[in-house]
Amino acid sequence: MGVENGDVETVNGQIKLPSSPCRRRRKLTLDICKGHQDEDKLASNGDKTNGEYGTVIKPIDDAPKEEQAVESTSEEYKAGPISKSLLDVFQVSILLPHQPYKIHLPISTQAQVQDLRSAIVELPDTFQYTCFHLEHNGERINDFTEISDVKGLAAESEVRLLEDPYTEREARMHIVRIREIIGAAGDRIDALNGIDAGLSLHDTVAPWTGLDAESAAGQKATGSKPAADANPLANFSFNGLPSVQTLLAPNQEPNPKTIKSLSVSSWNPPPPSFRQRGHLLYLQLTTNEGEQFQITSHVSGFFVNKSSNTKFDPLPKTSPKTATAHSLLSLIESLSPSFHASFDLLMDANSKRDPLATFQLTSAIPSNPWLVSPVSSSATAHQPDLTRTQETYLLSGVENTETLRDWNEEIQSTRELPRETVQDRVFRERLLAKLYAEFNEAAAKGAVLVARGEVAPLNPTESKDAQIYVYNNIFYSYGADGVGTFTSEGGDEAARVAVGKDVAGVKAVNQLDIPGLSTPGTIIVDYLGKRLVAQSIVPGIFKQREPDEQQVDYGGVEGKDVVADNDAFVSTFAQVSKALKVKKHTVWDKEGKKHVLEGSVETKGLLGTDGRKYILDLYRLTPLDVSWLDPYWTDSSCHDQKPTERNYPHRMSVLRPELVEAYWRVRMSEYVKAEFEKRKNGQDSDVDARSPDPVSEVVTSGTEVVKSDSPSTTNEVDGEVAKEQGRIDISAFSFSLNSDVFCGQNPQTAEEKEEWANDERDVRAVADHLHQKIIPELIHDFREGEVGFPMDGQSLSDMLHKRGVNIRYIGKLASLAETDNPRLKALKVLTEQEMIARAFKHVANRYVKSLPPAMATACLAHLLNCLLGSELNHSPKPQLDEDLRDLYSDADFSFADVTPTSLKAEIETQTQMRYRYTLEESWLASTKSLQLLREIALKIGLQLGAKNYQYQPASRTQPDDERHLANGITTPATNGHITNGVSGKKKKKRNASPSSTNATTASEPPVTFIPDDIVNFVPIVKDSNSRSVLAEEALEAGRISMMQNQKELGQELLLESLTLHEQIYGILHPEVARVYHQLGMLYYTLGEKEAAVELAHKAVVISERTIGIDSSETMLSYLNLGLFEHAVENTVVALACMRHALELWKIIYGSNHPDCITTFNNAAVMLQHIKLFHESRLWFEESYAISEQVSGKDSINTATLAFQLAQALALDQDHKGAVNRMREAYSIFHNKLGPEDRNTKEADSWLDQLTVNAVSIAKHAKDLQAQKIRRALFTPRVTLRTQPQAPVGRSSTDGLNGQAPPRVGAGLDNRSIDELMKYIESSGDANKKTPTKKRKNPRSRRI
């Protein structure tokens, strides 16, 4: 992240911004708001359901806005409607029926009364209230109106809370709520969330209450070094073994128990005679004192009854224990003397954790870690809880009808909500995001049940792949070719790919948000080798049509043989086609009849019985990739056996939409340049010579702005001239692709054949653009280090997709990376690892999908042994329970015949077939086992027990073996001594159990994995959720403003984008984490370090819980959090963050990642900051060594690092080494940049001074030892500056202000050598400074 050179001031090597007018006029505050968000239109922040909080950073004193040049999205936000509504806040008094009798709450005029209710129930003093209503001036307030609509409600008004009678549903919800509050809910287990789902390690990474700014400043002033334990990087091994403890939550003290149990009594439900008297439920309570109480839930509240476990008498108990209360919480407090004290301890324990790390995720599916605590550990101990089995009843009622929802009607009705105003759009998009999140969760849970055989099919007589299911009003089918639709396209392989493309197509259409066009809710779930499609039920899709009536109203009915026309669909489909660059074209049915379609013939339109127009089967929105299919695909019907060179498994290979968009921009650029040339040649006489570059700004209809890749073009010319004379009207420009070319269509006339040939030429041109432009540029960027280097398969895939490159080209990338360039060598290793992991996934899915769930662990353990454990055991045997095998006589147990040799051959075949890449003969020996295991687990959905998996015989392991260092994993002491992955006690226990797997015995060779190591399977979910258009518009407008150097407006827009993201998605969502990350980087650049720290902490927690505790995004968030904490003088915490990120890096990638140089440099700077000069030197040396490997010994980057290392050596009193390194830097600068370059002159001056100083120090060595003169302390001029880590696939400035960081000489200050030497010789007085104001504990500021 960079800023203009004129705005940067360097103090002690750190970036400091001048006090700009914007900063003088603005003051940032953090408003912590809470409340419910279900019905709120605008005023609250974040998803407040279940107690989530939101943070709004807003200006108190807005600066006057200048005239802005942003023509498009930023114009909409100038008025700041959101900021205005957020400021309409006043305080009201709530009168309570019990202590404390009165509380005060702030509320916004734009909020709903429902938000006020939610704020009340979240306060500790009002936990007990759930069933109540509010009154103002004696009149009942409707819960679903806005605060502004309540007559007479203003600041300091009094609102009275009155308790209401319970219904059965409200009583059940009250019980669930109280169980959660008092910590009696226990651990929930469902089909979707795995072990430690949504885990966050943030609170355990660093001592957030450790060294603060004042103590750090005091140490700096006195020149003292911190204590030994103040360096979290101590004993860090650059090439050491990654620790399994990095991914595990430390064992923590269990929360205080407030009661022993609270459950539904066995006397439920109330008999009719007592139901008529107001009895709703019967409960059983056991207090910490051991007393048991039978409790009646009555319409008036709760009371202790006379029942026992053997006698039924639900009437109120008299003496000695008689109690009644409207709230169950109050009743428990009156019955248990110890409850109050233990409840206070529970509240204190909960308050010590970051709230974001504990709140339940409601707007996103939590991330499931692939490595979890072993089953035998205390962290995963299963606790008894009778009510765990009763929660379904408590939540859904006896008939389970309260959770049955008409998903399709809810989705379509929400999409049809008004969208005229900003408030309407926020309300609509928030409801859509919440509804899609709930649908995804319900659909994924149902898919798991279907995959496990727990749901009966609607058509049980059909084949397994053709069976369909309905569960929870959601329609399920397998992603397989059960009815022969894709026979000519590749069968099951084609069907599996098609459903994945369909979900991506639904997501693209949802993003367009076209009025009048509906899409069903759609997700795909991969689980136990099966792919299932879950969709909301479209009304009429199961309707029995008349014999002459077609099943589809528009598009292909039965492939391309029968085509339906319907004018009602033309206008809406035309909007989709225009936005997605799909050409309106002609197709022909089997009778040769011509049909003109808007979109592919495979895309279907269905008129539902609800009158809505649905678009279905969106798997071919872009044309086929003919450049791939021509050489690698052939129809199996034409050959008895496909030739090896043309055996690609399916014909569903289409171009990516990002590639089509990129080529569209190329063609548009060519059109604009041609039009500008026409003007330049005199065809348009009013063109001024001062017109900007024609590609910098083009418009259609006078409003749409299309920006070029150069952000500085607008600043080069006068704004008005650019507006009036620098535009090219592109309304006449058109480019679209026929998505049905190369699909067997037969044009009839010569004109049709010519048009078809032109369409084919356009598609081939796009494919050629991929091969000739996109992929070579990608390889160039990797080689030159222009973008952040990917860390794992997910970051590599994301990077390729953003560039429009399909994963099938990963083999081509690996082939192009076969050079001597170190960065490309690293790319080759990563791409090969990704291909192997994906090939193993396909092989494993083929074996697992035909097995019963009980045998899946044995299958996966055996396959993993054949892949990763073949060196430990050359002939592993599957550990099958023969009794279970006999039970499933119809299952396919062919996996038991797999050997390491056959599995290796299968993986090589899959890699050659799918990626056109031939693995080397020794590929298995060169793999990084730990990283490959992680990739496989994430792709298949495995949760493995954390232990020291042994991949090689112990005698063959060598300390310096690079492969073993990258693959190994240290085991925490709590796991105990493990032999061959299994302890002796476990062996004995398994052998004693008749239903357990057959463990290895002493006479059998050891194996790396056993079935019990696979603790759980979790589903892999791919959804069709669209991103918020409104929040994206604000974010893009802010980026444009920042690129135009309109920092104040850009900051305002980015803050409003943050507010919108929080309101629409809720706080705990991946999109919100990414916005926090980007804004944190921006504030760091602008000098608002405290705000950057706040945002970075949130980004870390949310990334861990929603993306993954060891994802590359989470790791980058930790690196930047460390950078920001260092900037606010919290260096010890910063180093702890760096340590955790580096440990994650070892697990994700291994050692010596090409981009770790920046991280090592930052760590060295931080160590220098706390006077650990020797430790800092070691990190600089490691950074320098890696730079020599990655960039070469004679590169400018290596020279810059040599310059820094020389200064670090001088600080460590190694003056001879400092002179040698500075000489190397000078030599490279002189040869590469010339003698007149500033860097060369700087190195020359430093070399002279260091040489003189080294001689002087040698002469006065005896005096120095006698302490007659002070040691000379060198102040580095480069090393004291830290830099943000570049995101994967981008530079560190992408998306913010468009300015690239300086390549060399970064951080050099403007003082001369004489001034610096005078500073060095000034006895260090300049190093003393007044201690800064003590910084608040970051925990107290983070929500």
Side-chain angles (χ1 to χ4, degrees):
M1 179 174 297
V3 293
E4 292 191 10
N5 293 334
D7 292 336
V8 177
E9 176 184 351
T10 307
V11 177
N12 288 338
Q14 300 208 31
I15 302 174
K16 179 182 178 181
L17 291 183
S19 181
S20 64
C22 171
R23 293 178 65 199
R24 285 196 300 267
R25 290 193 298 260
R26 301 186 74 251
K27 178 183 177 183
L28 296 178
T29 61
L30 297 176
D31 289 343
I32 312 305
C33 305
K34 61 187 292 186
H36 199 276
Q37 203 189 37
D38 288 354
E39 305 296 335
D40 170 27
K41 283 194 174 180
L42 195 61
S44 62
N45 313 307
D47 189 343
K48 311 290 172 45
T49 308
N50 292 318
E52 293 184 12
Y53 293 70
T55 302
V56 176
I57 306 177
K58 68 186 183 190
I60 287 183
D61 183 15
D62 289 337
K65 294 184 176 66
E66 302 173 355
E67 289 296 321
Q68 310 298 343
V70 180
E71 297 281 341
S72 178
T73 52
S74 63
E75 193 70 34
E76 181 179 350
Y77 298 96
K78 280 187 180 180
I82 297 172
S83 295
K84 182 178 183 300
S85 65
L86 287 171
L87 294 176
D88 296 335
V89 178
F90 59 91
Q91 185 169 278
V92 296
S93 300
I94 310 296
L95 304 181
L96 306 173
H98 308 291
Q99 288 184 347
Y101 300 112
K102 187 175 184 179
I103 60 173
H104 302 280
L105 283 177
I107 192 68
S108 168
T109 57
Q110 299 296 322
Q112 297 268 340
V113 175
Q114 188 74 24
D115 299 317
L116 181 58
R117 288 179 56 95
S118 298
I120 292 172
V121 300
E122 292 293 341
L123 293 177
D125 289 334
T126 52
F127 275 155
Q128 70 267 33
Y129 301 109
T130 61
C131 185
F132 63 90
H133 71 273
L134 301 175
E135 289 186 359
H136 177 58
N137 292 335
E139 295 184 5
R140 181 165 182 155
I141 302 175
N142 190 319
D143 292 339
F144 302 100
T145 61
E146 290 188 355
I147 294 296
S148 57
D149 295 334
V150 179
K151 185 178 180 180
L153 187 62
E156 304 303 328
S157 295
E158 291 187 346
V159 176
R160 185 174 298 277
L161 184 150
L162 297 176
E163 296 171 332
D164 284 339
Y166 288 96
T167 63
E168 183 191 327
R169 181 181 182 279
E170 289 169 338
R172 287 189 279 107
M173 294 300 103
H174 181 81
I175 295 168
V176 172
R177 164 78 173 165
I178 297 303
R179 276 173 49 84
E180 290 179 349
I181 290 175
I182 65 177
D187 54 329
R188 291 188 174 94
I189 298 176
D190 57 42
L192 177 61
N193 299 328
I195 301 171
D196 290 336
L199 174 67
S200 173
L201 303 175
H202 170 269
D203 288 349
T204 65
V205 166
W208 304 117
T209 58
L211 187 66
D212 57 19
E214 183 175 349
S215 59
Q219 285 182 351
K220 187 174 181 181
T222 60
S224 61
K225 291 186 178 182
D229 58 353
N231 177 18
L233 292 180
N235 302 320
F236 179 83
S237 176
F238 296 104
N239 293 315
L241 302 175
S243 172
V244 66
Q245 197 65 38
T246 305
L247 300 182
L248 301 180
N251 292 328
Q252 297 180 348
E253 291 292 329
N255 286 335
K257 290 186 66 68
T258 56
I259 60 173
K260 287 189 176 180
S261 68
L262 174 63
S263 61
V264 178
S265 170
S266 58
W267 295 115
N268 277 288
S273 59
F274 284 99
R275 182 175 293 277
Q276 301 302 319
R277 300 168 66 174
H279 291 209
L280 304 175
L281 294 168
Y282 300 126
L283 309 176
Q284 182 172 298
L285 168 70
T286 304
T287 65
N288 282 343
E289 291 80 10
E291 291 187 87
Q292 187 178 92
F293 298 94
Q294 300 285 336
I295 298 175
T296 296
S297 172
H298 191 264
V299 292
S300 62
F302 297 84
F303 59 81
V304 177
N305 62 39
K306 301 177 182 178
S307 296
S308 65
N309 291 333
T310 58
K311 177 185 176 182
F312 178 67
D313 186 358
L315 297 177
K317 190 174 185 179
T318 53
S319 60
K321 286 284 186 178
T322 177
T324 182
H326 187 268
S327 171
L328 182 59
L329 183 67
S330 302
L331 179 63
I332 296 174
E333 187 172 2
S334 65
L335 294 176
S336 174
S338 64
F339 176 81
H340 184 77
S342 58
F343 185 66
D344 287 344
L345 291 175
L346 177 65
M347 293 296 100
D348 291 340
N350 291 336
S351 66
K352 294 177 181 177
R353 297 198 63 191
D354 192 312
L356 288 180
T358 57
F359 291 153
Q360 182 180 355
L361 277 78
T362 59
S363 56
I365 295 177
S367 171
N368 294 298
W370 66 277
L371 203 63
V372 297
S373 300
V375 179
S376 59
S377 69
S378 59
T380 58
H382 194 53
Q383 302 296 333
D385 183 12
L386 179 62
T387 315
R388 187 164 47 226
T389 61
Q390 302 170 344
E391 279 196 344
T392 302
Y393 161 66
L394 289 173
L395 294 172
S396 308
V398 177
E399 303 297 332
N400 196 26
T401 57
E402 294 178 16
T403 56
L404 291 179
R405 302 165 62 175
D406 189 342
W407 293 106
N408 191 76
E409 181 61 30
E410 287 190 48
I411 291 173
Q412 310 312 329
S413 299
T414 305
R415 292 177 65 88
E416 292 167 356
L417 288 173
R419 60 182 87 179
E420 284 75 20
T421 65
V422 174
Q423 287 82 359
D424 288 339
R425 293 177 67 185
V426 171
F427 181 57
R428 175 178 176 272
E429 292 187 6
R430 179 172 62 245
L431 288 185
L432 272 176
K434 186 174 185 296
L435 180 58
Y436 274 122
E438 293 170 349
F439 170 78
N440 294 344
E441 181 179 2
K445 289 180 178 179
V448 170
L449 295 177
V450 171
R452 298 183 68 89
E454 306 290 345
V455 181
L458 298 180
N459 52 343
T461 59
E462 301 287 342
S463 65
K464 184 70 174 178
D465 289 341
Q467 289 177 351
I468 57 177
Y469 308 81
V470 172
Y471 180 79
N472 198 9
N473 281 341
I474 299 173
F475 173 70
Y476 296 93
S477 61
Y478 286 104
D481 192 22
V483 295
T485 305
F486 297 95
T487 301
S488 61
E489 307 291 329
D492 288 346
E493 287 278 359
R496 185 182 181 93
V497 174
V499 296
K501 300 294 183 185
D502 182 39
V503 168
V506 173
K507 188 170 190 173
V509 173
N510 286 343
Q511 192 65 42
L512 297 177
D513 202 11
I514 297 173
L517 187 63
S518 302
T519 57
T522 308
I523 68 168
I524 57 175
V525 179
D526 292 332
Y527 184 72
L528 292 177
K530 306 176 183 70
R531 171 162 287 188
L532 290 107
V533 187
Q535 294 178 305
S536 61
I537 301 176
V538 176
I541 197 168
F542 295 129
K543 177 183 176 183
Q544 293 293 330
R545 305 273 180 139
E546 298 296 331
D548 59 341
E549 192 177 7
Q550 295 173 339
Q551 294 290 328
V552 173
D553 297 292
Y554 188 77
V557 180
E558 298 175 4
K560 59 180 181 290
D561 294 338
V562 180
V563 181
D565 292 315
N566 191 324
D567 293 339
F569 285 85
V570 173
S571 60
T572 51
F573 272 53
Q575 296 180 59
V576 176
S577 299
K578 181 179 179 181
L580 299 178
K581 316 294 187 299
V582 180
K583 183 179 180 180
K584 181 179 181 180
H585 59 276
T586 304
V587 297
W588 297 265
D589 58 24
K590 63 181 178 181
E591 298 177 354
K593 183 180 178 181
K594 183 169 67 173
H595 303 267
V596 179
L597 294 180
E598 294 279 359
S600 170
V601 68
E602 303 292 349
T603 302
K604 300 171 178 58
L606 177 68
L607 187 62
T609 55
D610 57 357
R612 298 186 177 100
K613 301 170 190 173
Y614 291 88
I615 183 170
L616 307 172
D617 292 349
L618 297 166
Y619 53 81
R620 193 174 288 169
L621 292 177
T622 55
L624 294 175
D625 185 359
V626 65
S627 67
W628 181 271
L629 293 176
D630 277 354
Y632 304 133
W633 158 263
T634 186
D635 191 349
S636 58
S637 61
C638 302
H639 302 82
D640 294 336
Q641 185 175 0
K642 285 188 177 184
T644 304
E645 65 275 7
R646 303 189 67 184
N647 64 344
Y648 195 68
H650 60 82
R651 199 173 182 270
M652 298 303 298
S653 304
V654 297
L655 301 172
R656 288 199 63 84
E658 296 90 343
L659 175 64
V660 176
E661 182 71 21
Y663 188 73
W664 178 87
R665 290 185 178 277
V666 171
R667 291 287 295 269
M668 188 268 291
S669 176
E670 294 173 352
Y671 172 84
V672 171
K673 288 180 179 179
E675 290 295 313
F676 187 75
E677 288 297 324
K678 291 180 182 179
R679 290 190 182 185
K680 191 174 181 181
N681 293 334
Q683 295 185 19
D684 196 345
S685 58
D686 60 348
V687 176
D688 196 313
R690 296 172 59 204
S691 296
D693 182 83
V695 193
S696 64
E697 189 173 35
V698 293
V699 298
T700 58
S701 305
T703 57
E704 182 179 354
V705 178
V706 182
K707 302 302 297 181
S708 75
D709 291 336
S710 174
S712 60
T713 308
T714 310
N715 296 330
E716 296 174 358
V717 294
D718 180 77
E720 293 300 322
V721 175
K723 285 183 181 180
E724 302 299 329
Q725 301 174 359
R727 298 180 181 179
I728 300 295
D729 185 4
I730 64 170
S731 58
F733 171 75
S734 175
F735 174 79
S736 56
L737 297 175
N738 184 342
S739 55
D740 284 325
V741 295
F742 307 110
C743 293
Q745 292 292 332
N746 297 311
Q748 307 294 318
T749 66
E751 182 180 354
E752 292 170 350
K753 291 179 180 179
E754 181 181 0
E755 182 181 3
W756 207 258
N758 292 333
D759 292 344
E760 290 180 348
R761 189 159 43 254
D762 286 341
V763 172
R764 289 188 183 275
V766 177
D768 291 342
H769 181 68
L770 172 66
H771 291 274
Q772 299 171 10
K773 184 74 172 177
I774 301 296
I775 293 179
E777 285 184 352
L778 183 61
I779 292 294
H780 173 270
D781 290 345
F782 277 132
R783 181 176 58 250
E784 301 301 325
E786 298 292 340
V787 295
F789 196 87
M791 301 177 190
D792 59 356
Q794 184 61 52
S795 57
L796 176 63
S797 301
D798 292 342
M799 183 179 181
L800 295 181
H801 289 164
K802 288 178 182 178
R803 300 256 184 148
V805 182
N806 300 87
I807 287 296
R808 58 179 171 270
Y809 287 105
I810 196 172
K812 182 172 183 177
L813 291 179
S815 299
L816 294 174
E818 292 178 348
T819 67
D820 293 332
N821 183 276
R823 291 181 66 88
L824 293 184
K825 284 184 179 180
L827 176 65
K828 180 175 180 291
V829 171
L830 186 58
T831 51
E832 286 186 345
Q833 175 180 287
E834 181 67 5
M835 286 187 284
I836 293 168
R838 287 175 176 269
F840 180 88
K841 178 189 71 173
H842 289 290
V843 173
N845 285 343
R846 187 174 74 248
Y847 290 118
V848 174
K849 70 178 182 180
S850 59
L851 289 174
M855 308 301 291
T857 56
C859 175
L860 264 300
H862 178 62
L863 294 178
L864 288 173
N865 283 327
C866 291
L867 177 67
L868 299 176
S870 59
E871 292 190 31
L872 180 66
N873 187 332
H874 298 291
S875 301
K877 303 296 181 183
Q879 300 182 22
L880 286 172
D881 189 317
E882 296 300 330
D883 294 336
L884 283 179
R885 184 171 184 171
D886 294 339
L887 284 175
Y888 297 102
S889 57
D890 57 342
D892 182 7
F893 291 94
S894 57
F895 77 89
D897 301 326
V898 175
T899 65
T901 302
S902 65
L903 180 61
K904 180 181 177 184
E906 283 192 84
I907 290 176
E908 291 172 352
T909 301
Q910 290 287 331
T911 304
Q912 173 62 35
M913 179 176 63
R914 296 179 183 277
Y915 310 111
R916 299 294 138 180
Y917 184 77
T918 302
L919 293 169
E920 298 175 358
E921 184 65 26
S922 60
W923 63 266
L924 187 56
S926 61
T927 56
K928 297 184 286 188
S929 299
L930 176 62
Q931 285 71 35
L932 181 57
L933 177 63
R934 175 181 177 272
E935 293 290 347
I936 290 172
L938 292 176
K939 286 175 171 55
I940 298 181
L942 302 181
Q943 288 192 303
L944 300 169
K947 57 190 287 187
N948 185 20
Y949 293 107
Q950 186 178 354
Y951 306 107
Q952 298 174 336
S955 60
R956 294 178 53 187
T957 304
Q958 299 177 0
D960 296 329
D961 186 345
E962 181 180 350
R963 173 175 174 268
H964 181 74
L965 287 176
N967 298 342
I969 185 167
T970 58
T971 308
T974 55
N975 290 346
H977 178 68
I978 297 177
T979 304
N980 301 329
V982 189
S983 66
K985 288 186 178 181
K986 290 183 182 178
K987 285 184 181 179
K988 183 176 180 180
K989 186 176 291 187
R990 272 193 296 274
N991 290 333
S993 174
S995 61
S996 64
T997 58
N998 297 328
T1000 58
T1001 63
S1003 60
E1004 295 178 348
V1007 292
T1008 304
F1009 301 93
I1010 61 173
D1012 286 352
D1013 290 332
I1014 302 175
V1015 181
N1016 190 28
F1017 287 91
V1018 293
I1020 308 297
V1021 180
K1022 299 178 182 178
D1023 60 56
S1024 58
N1025 299 6
S1026 59
R1027 298 188 308 276
S1028 167
V1029 177
L1030 184 61
E1032 292 289 332
E1033 286 176 355
L1035 185 61
E1036 184 61 25
R1039 288 171 173 168
I1040 292 173
S1041 298
M1042 296 302 295
M1043 286 192 295
Q1044 294 177 339
N1045 203 29
Q1046 300 170 9
K1047 295 180 181 178
E1048 185 176 353
L1049 175 63
Q1051 191 173 357
E1052 296 284 348
L1053 294 174
L1054 290 171
L1055 290 177
E1056 289 203 356
S1057 173
L1058 172 61
T1059 302
L1060 290 171
H1061 276 86
E1062 290 179 336
Q1063 290 178 331
I1064 292 170
Y1065 294 113
I1067 301 295
L1068 298 175
H1069 194 278
E1071 292 296 326
V1072 178
R1074 295 180 181 112
V1075 172
Y1076 282 146
H1077 179 82
Q1078 294 181 39
L1079 289 183
M1081 296 282 288
L1082 172 66
Y1083 275 101
Y1084 174 77
T1085 303
L1086 296 178
E1088 301 284 355
K1089 305 298 194 308
E1090 292 284 351
V1093 169
E1094 302 288 347
L1095 295 169
H1097 276 288
K1098 287 188 175 185
V1100 163
V1101 177
I1102 301 172
S1103 295
E1104 285 184 321
R1105 301 198 65 196
T1106 60
I1107 305 175
I1109 57 174
D1110 62 341
S1111 69
S1112 58
E1113 292 185 54
T1114 299
M1115 197 207 74
L1116 287 173
S1117 295
Y1118 267 112
L1119 289 175
N1120 285 329
L1121 174 59
L1123 183 68
F1124 304 160
E1125 288 283 4
H1126 169 68
V1128 295
E1129 299 290 336
N1130 210 0
T1131 303
V1132 172
V1133 169
L1135 290 172
C1137 294
M1138 303 289 283
R1139 174 69 178 257
H1140 183 71
L1142 290 170
E1143 295 289 356
L1144 289 178
W1145 213 329
K1146 286 184 182 180
I1147 294 175
I1148 297 172
Y1149 178 84
S1151 302
N1152 298 338
H1153 187 276
D1155 286 349
C1156 66
I1157 299 173
T1158 300
T1159 303
F1160 288 176
N1161 258 23
N1162 288 346
V1165 169
M1166 296 175 189
L1167 290 169
Q1168 280 188 357
H1169 186 75
I1170 58 175
K1171 307 285 185 193
L1172 296 177
F1173 297 125
H1174 180 70
E1175 291 80 358
S1176 173
R1177 164 191 175 168
L1178 299 178
W1179 285 81
F1180 275 124
E1181 288 176 340
E1182 185 67 21
S1183 176
Y1184 175 75
I1186 296 176
S1187 180
E1188 283 189 321
Q1189 298 175 11
V1190 173
S1191 303
K1193 293 185 178 181
D1194 296 330
S1195 67
I1196 295 178
N1197 287 337
T1198 302
T1200 304
L1201 289 170
F1203 190 98
Q1204 296 175 315
L1205 178 56
Q1207 298 173 335
L1209 292 170
L1211 284 170
D1212 198 29
Q1213 305 303 314
D1214 185 354
H1215 304 287
K1216 182 178 179 181
V1219 171
N1220 292 336
R1221 291 302 181 200
M1222 191 61 70
R1223 185 178 292 112
E1224 292 177 10
Y1226 169 75
S1227 177
I1228 297 173
F1229 284 145
H1230 186 275
N1231 295 333
K1232 296 286 186 179
L1233 303 177
E1236 299 302 321
D1237 186 82
R1238 178 174 178 267
N1239 294 281
T1240 306
K1241 294 180 178 180
E1242 288 286 340
D1244 187 30
S1245 299
W1246 272 97
L1247 179 59
D1248 292 342
Q1249 203 65 49
L1250 286 172
T1251 303
V1252 172
N1253 198 63
V1255 174
S1256 175
I1257 288 177
K1259 292 180 180 179
H1260 295 283
K1262 293 182 180 180
D1263 292 336
L1264 287 173
Q1265 292 175 359
Q1267 297 184 354
K1268 292 184 178 179
I1269 61 174
R1270 299 179 64 103
R1271 294 178 179 177
L1273 297 178
F1274 283 85
T1275 302
R1277 307 169 63 198
V1278 178
T1279 58
L1280 284 183
R1281 175 172 177 173
T1282 55
Q1283 296 183 2
Q1285 186 75 35
V1288 173
R1290 297 178 291 163
S1291 69
S1292 60
T1293 60
D1294 282 359
L1296 294 170
N1297 55 12
Q1299 298 173 355
R1303 298 282 302 181
V1304 294
L1308 295 174
D1309 58 33
N1310 298 321
R1311 290 175 291 183
S1312 66
I1313 285 290
D1314 293 337
E1315 291 173 330
L1316 286 170
M1317 293 308 301
K1318 189 177 297 183
Y1319 168 78
I1320 291 170
E1321 296 168 357
S1322 63
S1323 300
D1325 292 339
N1327 221 14
K1328 296 182 180 180
K1329 56 187 285 188
T1330 303
T1332 56
K1333 183 178 179 180
K1334 183 174 182 180
R1335 175 174 177 259
K1336 290 183 178 180
N1337 178 0
R1339 287 188 50 81
S1340 65
R1341 292 176 52 83
R1342 295 193 314 280
I1343 302 182

